Amino acid sequence: MSASISTIGAFRHGGRLREAMAAFPDAPRPWLDLSTGINPEPWSGQRAPADALRRLPDPRELAELETIAARAFGVADPGRVVATSGAEAALRLLPGLIGGGEVALLAPIYGGHAESWAASSPSLVTSLEDPRAVAADVLVLVNPNNPDGRRIDRDTLAALAAERSDAGRWTVVDESFGEVAPELSVAELEIDRLVILRSFGKFYGLPGARLGFLIGNKIFAREFRALVGDWPIGADALALGIEAYADAAWRGRTRAWLATQAGAVDTVLAKAGLKPLGGCDLFRWVETPDAHGLFTRLCARGILTRPFADRPDRLRLGLPSRNDFNRFERDIHAVTS
């Protein structure tokens, strides 16, 4: 059982579908990938036209995208918003820009942050009141959190970031799942040492576009823009982002549907004897005594979820689409009955 999970690499992060298929060659096809927190019903706009792929991206299109995205994030000054090839790319560059010192990560946390700051030997803290979090030169957190969905209210976070900035300390807030909890966002606040990360792929369901954003004060944003260069993203990311972030009506409908679907998933899990402990409207966080065994049984039925090496009693599941919901319900019942 453990060998199968290790072979897939599922402990590191979700999305290892080809490895799962190789480890479970007799599983039904097509697989249902619930290992990531990605909208299963993506925005359906147009990709870049052929001529856009035959030239370098136009700086004016990049500026247009950043302006439209800034409006969607509630940021008044688009000069504070910098497009990059995914939030992952941005977070990997932050240690080089911010510098070292004492670093604290609010755990549990997305593994990419731990890897990014590994050279600083970061402290893992579980509370913002922990003295190590208070004193750290850099505090990194995700809101709403991945993997457990922990939420920090906006006013608390805004006051914390302002206080830390006044003391010369940085606060990095990863809002990759922020579209489903806009009331938590601090993106509109221009605080000198506050940095916010946003993801396009999760809420819009198009992670392969590789689009994300860094939001900071204007000087820091300018430094980051110089670091990523004149062409930080490709033509498809430009075309998709410009149209999608302008589509406020789709955004509103999608938030409502995701909330309804998350509730329906919780109902299925509870009926199967699994305890939903939280999450956000893009994934659910479940307690079960043998999460690794459940992961393996689901893989055998062609459903990929997300286990955790340090929490053998926890499993994270993304949401199925409308078309896949009946299969999800049937197979969850089959592996828990």
Side-chain angles (χ1 to χ4, degrees), residues 28-86:
R29 306 285 182 98
W31 276 66
L32 177 56
D33 186 358
L34 304 182
S35 66
T36 59
I38 293 169
N39 183 353
E41 302 206 353
W43 186 78
S44 57
Q46 296 298 310
R47 298 177 62 176
D51 69 297
L53 298 173
R54 294 194 295 266
R55 58 175 171 80
L56 288 170
D58 190 322
R60 292 170 298 180
E61 292 174 332
L62 183 63
E64 180 184 4
L65 168 62
E66 291 171 345
T67 297
I68 293 171
R71 190 177 306 124
F73 301 152
V75 177
D77 183 354
R80 296 179 49 224
V81 177
V82 186
T84 185
S85 55

Side-chain angles (χ1 to χ4, degrees), residues 48-241:
D51 69 297
L53 298 173
R54 294 194 295 266
R55 58 175 171 80
L56 288 170
D58 190 322
R60 292 170 298 180
E61 292 174 332
L62 183 63
E64 180 184 4
L65 168 62
E66 291 171 345
T67 297
I68 293 171
R71 190 177 306 124
F73 301 152
V75 177
D77 183 354
R80 296 179 49 224
V81 177
V82 186
T84 185
S85 55
E88 176 79 14
L91 70 87
R92 300 282 177 169
L93 294 173
L94 285 179
L97 273 175
I98 290 177
E102 297 293 325
V103 178
L105 308 179
L106 187 59
I109 194 169
Y110 169 62
H113 290 292
E115 293 172 1
S116 179
W117 292 97
S120 300
S121 300
S123 298
L124 296 179
V125 300
T126 59
S127 168
L128 294 177
E129 286 72 42
D130 188 309
R132 294 172 297 172
V134 174
D137 297 294
V138 183
L139 173 64
V140 184
L141 59 95
V142 184
N143 196 35
N145 192 43
N146 174 17
D148 63 353
R150 176 190 59 222
R151 297 163 64 97
I152 302 170
D153 73 81
R154 179 189 180 280
D155 290 344
T156 297
L157 194 48
L160 173 70
E163 180 179 343
R164 288 179 51 78
S165 182
D166 289 345
R169 298 172 179 142
W170 290 88
T171 305
V172 177
V173 181
D174 183 344
E175 294 184 352
S176 287
F177 295 94
E179 266 78 11
V180 295
E183 71 280 4
L184 303 181
S185 178
V186 291
E188 81 281 7
L189 301 177
E190 186 169 3
I191 296 172
D192 279 348
R193 289 178 174 82
L194 171 63
V195 178
I196 298 103
L197 304 175
R198 296 294 290 249
S199 169
F200 172 75
K202 295 176 176 63
F203 180 74
Y204 290 92
L206 299 168
R210 304 312 305 141
L211 176 60
F213 299 86
L214 176 140
I215 306 167
N217 70 61
K218 290 190 71 172
I219 294 174
F220 188 82
R222 187 161 56 243
E223 292 174 351
F224 185 80
R225 184 173 279 109
L227 182 63
V228 298
D230 291 334
W231 305 290
I233 61 174
D236 277 333
L238 276 170
L240 292 166

Side-chain angles (χ1 to χ4, degrees), residues 296-315:
T296 301
R297 294 193 298 276
L298 285 169
C299 279
R301 299 183 73 90
I303 297 180
L304 184 60
T305 57
R306 174 74 161 87
F308 297 86
D310 59 340
R311 294 303 304 267
D313 61 343
R314 295 289 190 273
L315 200 68

Side-chain angles (χ1 to χ4, degrees), residues 254-267:
T254 299
R255 282 184 183 132
W257 178 77
L258 288 170
T260 298
Q261 191 77 337
V265 166
D266 280 354
T267 298

Side-chain angles (χ1 to χ4, degrees), residues 233-250:
I233 61 174
D236 277 333
L238 276 170
L240 292 166
I242 286 171
E243 295 298 323
Y245 279 115
D247 196 345
W250 183 90

